[in-house]
Amino acid sequence: MATRAGSRGGASKTRPAASAIPQLPWNQIRTAPVVLVTGSEGFLADRAVRTLRDALKADDPSLEISDLHAGDYAPGELLTLASPSLFGEPRLIRVDAVEKCNDAFLADMLDYLNAPADGTVVTLRHAGGVRGKKLLDAIRAGTGGGIEVVCAELKKDAEKYDFAQAEFASAGRKVTPGALRAITSAFSDDLAELAAACQQLLSDSAEQITEATVDKYYGGRVETNAFQVADAAIAGRHGEALVTMRHALASGADPVPMVAAFASKIRTMAKISGARGGSGQLAQQFGLAPWQVDRARRDLQGWTEDGLGRCIELLAETDANVKGGGRDPVFALERMIRVVSARGRD
């Protein structure tokens, strides 16, 4: 039996080809006698293991599921759980915190690799570190017939955008690029929150999810308002940017993430300014999504290098002021918006 997660996005990079076993991204997890789940992104690891559990349960509802903590392991527990039952039900043994494993678990698991139990899948969650390296090396060398599922942290905006896009694609729902940008920006700091927000939007009855749909549910989200202010100012719409900024502050927005939104967009513009190549090429070069390259190119219309330079300096000054270095953070924001709206020429 093989199973894949419904979404296609957010795939992590695999390790170098030194391993003798298949190394798969989180959304391509499948069954094997031993499934090693590595990487620092706990949300993706949990989802991968849950996907495998659901697939095994769908294949046979009598699946027996057991959980072990590698740091609190008692000798012989693994063998007891993996031993065939009277009725021969398939078994899934989920082992957490392998990076904290005690010596008893390490010894039993190394022995188990030499003769994995029939009808049993053992998942091993290792979040990183050197503890358990002997076990990982044995699995990666092919002992036990296992696979490795890599769940690296999604750090780049492009990776989070792809993840959100895949959430909607797997549900067969249409979503506009603007809605994807808005929801990714609003929940960029927490992948679990981003996934939950996507599921909330999927519960909406509208045929297509648009920016208006995102605003309906998350209009008060600080980062979303912040990027709306930045978009208006960078486009030269000074009045709109001021009104949006004041509305955001009145709704409880904090000036600090608002400055961060400006900094994020203007830094991207600075990267793309003067760069030559196609959107895909530049996206790969700078760790962006192609839409971010296209958007930065549009935003750069009417800007000069001197204007960008002045705004970058002003952003650093404004950031210090809104973090306690100035007496009036609102005044600092208004000045920043005025200068950015004038494309640094004011």
Side-chain angles (χ1 to χ4, degrees):
M1 181 206 74
T3 182
R4 293 172 61 99
S7 59
R8 299 184 302 275
S12 305
K13 293 182 180 179
T14 56
R15 296 171 181 272
S19 177
I21 62 173
Q23 293 184 304
L24 308 173
W26 69 271
N27 56 347
Q28 294 181 17
I29 191 169
R30 58 176 174 81
T31 190
V34 176
V35 179
L36 174 63
V37 182
T38 60
S40 58
E41 185 49 76
F43 172 78
L44 294 182
D46 290 343
R47 179 178 277 196
V49 174
R50 188 166 62 249
T51 299
L52 180 60
R53 178 206 64 192
D54 292 346
L56 291 171
K57 194 79 173 176
D59 273 6
D60 192 330
S62 67
L63 177 74
E64 289 187 356
I65 302 174
S66 304
D67 292 297
L68 293 174
H69 188 286
D72 300 329
Y73 179 82
E77 280 187 292
L78 179 63
L79 181 60
T80 299
L81 293 175
S83 297
S85 67
L86 180 63
F87 300 102
E89 297 94 344
R91 291 168 300 284
L92 171 62
I93 303 173
R94 301 178 297 197
V95 184
D96 193 27
V98 175
E99 72 279 3
K100 300 176 183 178
C101 67
N102 58 28
D103 291 340
F105 175 79
L106 189 60
D108 280 3
M109 190 65 214
L110 285 169
D111 285 342
Y112 181 85
L113 292 179
N114 294 317
D118 292 337
T120 298
V121 174
V122 178
T123 65
L124 302 172
R125 172 72 180 115
H126 193 289
V130 297
R131 182 64 178 163
K133 183 178 183 299
K134 183 177 180 181
L135 174 60
L136 269 60
D137 288 345
I139 295 171
R140 288 170 178 159
T143 308
I147 62 172
E148 181 173 2
V149 177
V150 185
C151 300
E153 183 180 357
L154 305 186
K155 295 181 178 180
K156 297 179 180 178
D157 290 342
E159 293 172 330
K160 295 170 185 175
Y161 180 93
D162 288 345
F163 172 84
Q165 187 176 46
E167 293 289 280
F168 295 103
S170 65
R173 294 291 296 281
K174 295 179 180 179
V175 58
T176 65
L180 279 172
R181 290 194 295 269
I183 196 67
T184 303
S185 297
F187 295 94
S188 60
D189 293 334
D190 191 310
L191 194 63
E193 285 191 3
L194 175 58
C198 290
Q199 293 305 311
Q200 175 64 58
L201 291 171
L202 285 169
S203 70
D204 191 275
S205 59
E207 180 180 349
Q208 184 179 53
I209 296 165
T210 65
E211 288 175 85
T213 318
V214 175
D215 190 62
K216 171 184 174 183
Y217 289 97
Y218 303 109
R221 182 78 180 186
V222 171
E223 292 85 353
T224 300
N225 283 327
F227 276 93
Q228 290 171 352
V229 177
D231 286 342
I234 288 169
R237 302 192 299 271
H238 179 233
E240 178 184 335
L242 273 180
V243 170
T244 308
M245 184 264 304
R246 288 167 182 162
H247 173 73
L249 293 177
S251 301
D254 189 288
V256 174
M258 195 169 295
V259 177
F262 274 76
S264 175
K265 292 184 70 67
I266 290 178
R267 278 199 302 267
T268 301
M269 291 165 60
K271 288 178 182 178
I272 301 303
S273 178
R276 297 182 179 275
S279 299
Q281 177 186 354
L282 294 179
Q284 184 175 12
Q285 180 180 345
F286 294 114
L288 303 168
W291 67 262
Q292 290 177 298
V293 175
D294 294 335
R295 179 61 186 265
R297 282 172 162 165
R298 291 196 301 272
D299 288 341
L300 281 165
Q301 294 178 14
W303 284 77
T304 64
E305 289 189 8
D306 288 342
L308 278 173
R310 185 186 175 197
C311 285
I312 289 171
E313 292 176 355
L314 178 61
L315 281 167
E317 180 183 334
T318 306
D319 185 66
N321 286 335
V322 300
K323 290 179 178 176
R327 290 182 295 180
D328 191 341
V330 176
F331 174 80
L333 279 176
E334 290 179 344
R335 177 170 176 256
M336 177 189 69
I337 288 171
R338 175 171 54 81
V339 174
V340 171
S341 297
R343 296 178 170 86
R345 291 191 290 267
D346 188 6

